[in-house]
Amino acid sequence: MHAFDYLEPVTVAEACAMLADHGPRARPLAGGTDLLIQMEMGKVRPEAVVHLGRIEALRGIEWDPQAGLRISAGVTLREVETHPIIRERYPALATAAQVVGSVQIRNLGTLVGNLCNASPSADTSPALLALDGQVEIASPTESFTIPVAEFWTGPGQMVLQPGQLVTGVRLPVPTPSLRTWYYKLAVRKAMDLAMVGVCVALEPRNGSARRVRIALGAVAPTCLRARHAEQLAEQGEITNGCLEAIAEAAVAATSPISDQRASADYRRAMVGSLTRRAFTQLLR
Amino acid sequence: MKRLINLRINGVTYPVEVEPRERLLDVVRYKLDITGPKEGCGTGDCGACTMLIDGKPVTSCLMLAVSTAGREITTVEGLARPGELNDLQRAFVELTAVQCGVCIPGFLVNATALLRENPNPTEEEIRAWLQGNLCRCTGYTKIVDAVMEAARRINARPSPETA
Ligand SMILES: Cc1cc2nc3c(=O)[nH]c(=O)nc-3n(C[C@@H](O)[C@@H](O)[C@H](O)COP(=O)(O)OP(=O)(O)OC[C@H]3O[C@@H](n4cnc5c(N)ncnc54)[C@H](O)[C@@H]3O)c2cc1C
Ligand code: FES
Ligand code: FES
């Protein structure tokens, strides 16, 4: 690995100042399960590495029955997977965290790191999209939130400017009738990245659905919502013919590539098939 | 630039000079000569380098040594007193769950964390917990059997309070 300046801020303000100082040549380091591998391979060569692990304010999961859930940037995937409130109220997110890598990787890797690595196959990202997640961003001068859906701009790319740090993710309180479903399609059952990830959230009403979210992973340069398919699904009773149209619209939202994991055609076929399966399960 | 840090490993504090880019696994093996943890892949996939940090299993090939200063680190050497074997290690030996052995320190450290958190795991739970530990020799069956046997023995023993 190349040599770099190693910085250990203890507050968010310090971290932002350090990131601003070094501009695009600085990288935040959370669990390191993506970043250290990329550095070891020489793919990224930051001149300054800003370790977030000593920032007390970035620990913890907060739940408020009115405000919803807040997961700080230091929270590991294992903490997300085992948290009783997340398991009970946001099961798709708990499942998505649980299928990442191994217990050793989940003890290191953070939810926010999974988001900020901006890989289209990140397992937790479709769940954050389907649950209307907001990304909390701090800079040396301000802090604000943006919808998860507006966070990525391409593979490994996001809207963050030099000096900006993601401090956490917020999820609104799910309505009592909200049901969610996440499916990771992979060659192996464990230690494998998704060929396709589908997360659907909706409120079932006698054969029709409200508040539909269809979030797709690993089938486009970023994770995305199939918005046209969502609208179709909210238009009335979901008959078999209608489900077919929803699945087709979901496929039309994708622009998959062929790679060592799967061909683009296979990915498209699986988006259709998994979307149908999601609705069948959730409306049952 | 080198810096002096204190690594706390198996209850002993080791002052050691490291560069920020040095991985925990390398510092432990090559600077401190604690060679139980192995490097199988260097990319987090095989689990041979597993250590406990504050009781939690992690892949030490994906950690910088500087980031772990002051935290409680356990390697396979710290699972039992020198010269002794704990229940888990004994079960691995008696059930011949060990062949070439290179993966075993990782399995022992990770399975120790499992048994602390879940003293009565099912076979399915053991397999799920150990999915990040690869073994090229044993075929896993005997490893899973050994963890189940160790759990039985630990649970059969009267706890200190009831003894
Ligand atoms: C063996 C193995 C198996 C894996 N399997 C899966 C899998 O099945 N599914 C899956 O989705 N992922 C998988 N991953 C990747 C997964 O571990 C990571 O995506 C992890 O969640 C990233 O979190 P981290 O804390 O390790 O991030 P880091 O590696 O520390 O950081 C990742 C990126 O995000 C940036 N970053 C981190 N925190 C912040 C912040 N607060 N603000 C701004 N930028 C930030 C970093 O600069 C870096 O660019 C696997 C990884 C390994 C090594
Ligand atoms: S050497 Fe660390 S997981 Fe393989
Ligand atoms: S005993 Fe040889 S790799 Fe497991």
Side-chain angles (χ1 to χ4, degrees):
Chain A
M1 207 184 291
H2 72 287
F4 49 80
D5 280 347
Y6 180 80
L7 305 170
E8 276 198 336
V10 295
T11 65
V12 170
E14 255 176 52
C16 291
M18 290 169 176
L19 289 169
D21 271 356
H22 293 266
R25 319 245 339 122
R27 275 300 180 98
L29 170 68
T33 61
D34 286 316
L35 186 60
L36 292 181
I37 293 180
Q38 291 160 8
M39 286 169 56
E40 193 69 59
M41 289 166 58
K43 276 200 199 162
V44 294
R45 301 175 61 86
E47 136 198 314
V49 169
V50 180
H51 180 226
L52 307 177
R54 313 254 179 215
I55 305 179
E56 206 59 51
L58 292 184
R59 304 236 172 94
I61 298 173
E62 292 149 44
W63 162 251
D64 180 291
Q66 264 81 49
L69 189 73
R70 182 174 177 278
I71 302 174
S72 296
V75 170
T76 63
L77 292 162
R78 179 80 185 144
E79 290 174 83
V80 170
E81 162 197 359
T82 54
H83 194 271
I85 297 280
I86 299 181
R87 292 172 73 98
E88 184 194 327
R89 302 207 179 224
Y90 304 90
L93 181 61
T95 305
Q98 191 182 344
V99 298
V100 172
S102 60
V103 68
Q104 293 100 314
I105 296 298
R106 299 194 298 276
N107 274 327
L108 285 175
T110 58
L111 177 73
V112 166
N114 202 223
L115 173 86
C116 292
N117 191 52
S119 162
S121 66
D123 272 304
T124 58
S125 294
L128 294 183
L129 281 175
L131 294 165
D132 289 342
Q134 296 271 330
V135 186
E136 226 181 66
I137 298 170
S139 78
T141 50
E142 53 171 354
S143 72
F144 56 96
T145 62
I146 62 165
V148 170
E150 292 166 21
F151 184 67
W152 307 289
T153 55
Q157 307 291 318
M158 53 213 160
V159 297
L160 286 188
Q161 298 297 315
Q164 292 183 341
L165 181 74
V166 175
T167 51
V169 164
R170 292 183 192 201
L171 298 175
V173 182
T175 54
S177 62
L178 188 74
R179 298 192 63 202
T180 55
W181 187 86
Y182 176 64
Y183 195 91
K184 171 184 192 172
L185 182 69
V187 176
R188 299 183 67 230
K189 266 193 257 169
M191 301 299 284
D192 199 359
L193 298 181
M195 290 189 282
V196 174
V198 175
C199 187
V200 175
L202 53 77
E203 295 171 7
R205 295 280 150 93
N206 314 316
S208 64
R210 302 232 291 233
R211 196 218 161 271
V212 178
R213 301 285 182 276
I214 303 172
L216 308 173
V219 291
T222 67
C223 290
L224 51 81
R225 277 173 56 187
R227 291 185 194 255
H228 179 54
E230 292 174 358
Q231 284 158 12
L232 288 178
E234 286 172 351
Q235 272 166 14
E237 196 190 339
I238 300 181
T239 59
N240 282 342
C242 181
L243 185 49
E244 209 47 54
I246 296 168
E248 269 171 37
V251 174
T254 68
S255 47
I257 54 166
S258 296
D259 63 9
Q260 77 278 16
R261 269 176 240 287
S263 70
D265 281 343
Y266 181 70
R267 287 192 157 102
R268 272 188 284 266
M270 290 306 104
V271 167
S273 151
L274 291 171
T275 302
R276 281 190 296 270
R277 198 191 298 182
F279 278 85
T280 312
Q281 300 261 334
L282 292 173
L283 294 174
R284 201 169 46 196
Chain B
M1 207 181 48
K2 289 210 176 204
R3 52 175 90 187
L4 183 67
I5 59 169
N6 284 320
L7 286 184
R8 228 182 122 66
I9 306 174
N10 303 326
V12 179
T13 301
Y14 299 86
V16 55
E17 266 202 352
V18 300
E19 279 190 59
R21 64 173 154 174
E22 288 184 85
R23 303 180 307 170
L24 177 61
L25 176 62
D26 298 328
V27 171
V28 168
R29 282 182 56 84
Y30 302 120
K31 290 202 160 153
L32 302 177
D33 211 24
I34 299 171
T35 55
K38 304 285 185 268
E39 173 156 12
C41 65
T43 52
D45 291 283
C46 77
C49 65
T50 303
M51 298 182 192
L52 305 181
I53 308 270
D54 298 333
K56 298 197 173 74
V58 296
T59 45
S60 64
C61 66
L62 296 184
M63 297 192 84
L64 299 176
V66 271
S67 306
T68 63
R71 298 177 68 184
E72 210 58 58
I73 301 168
T74 309
T75 67
V76 71
E77 286 87 348
L79 296 186
R81 273 192 294 257
E84 293 181 13
L85 297 179
N86 70 11
D87 289 295
L88 187 66
Q89 291 166 316
R90 206 182 304 277
F92 267 65
V93 173
E94 288 172 14
L95 275 69
T96 57
V98 181
Q99 289 188 27
C100 82
V102 77
C103 68
I104 299 299
F107 273 100
L108 290 169
V109 169
N110 196 21
T112 296
L114 167 65
L115 294 179
R116 280 184 194 157
E117 195 168 308
N118 178 359
N120 259 315
T122 62
E123 177 179 340
E124 206 183 328
E125 285 168 339
I126 295 171
R127 286 185 181 272
W129 189 279
L130 296 178
Q131 67 195 12
N133 291 82
L134 300 186
C135 175
R136 296 291 276 161
C137 303
T138 64
Y140 302 102
T141 305
K142 292 188 173 187
I143 288 179
V144 175
D145 290 348
V147 177
M148 297 206 77
E149 178 59 23
R152 261 193 296 277
R153 291 180 190 178
I154 293 166
N155 290 319
R157 185 165 328 119
S159 65
E161 298 93 277
T162 54

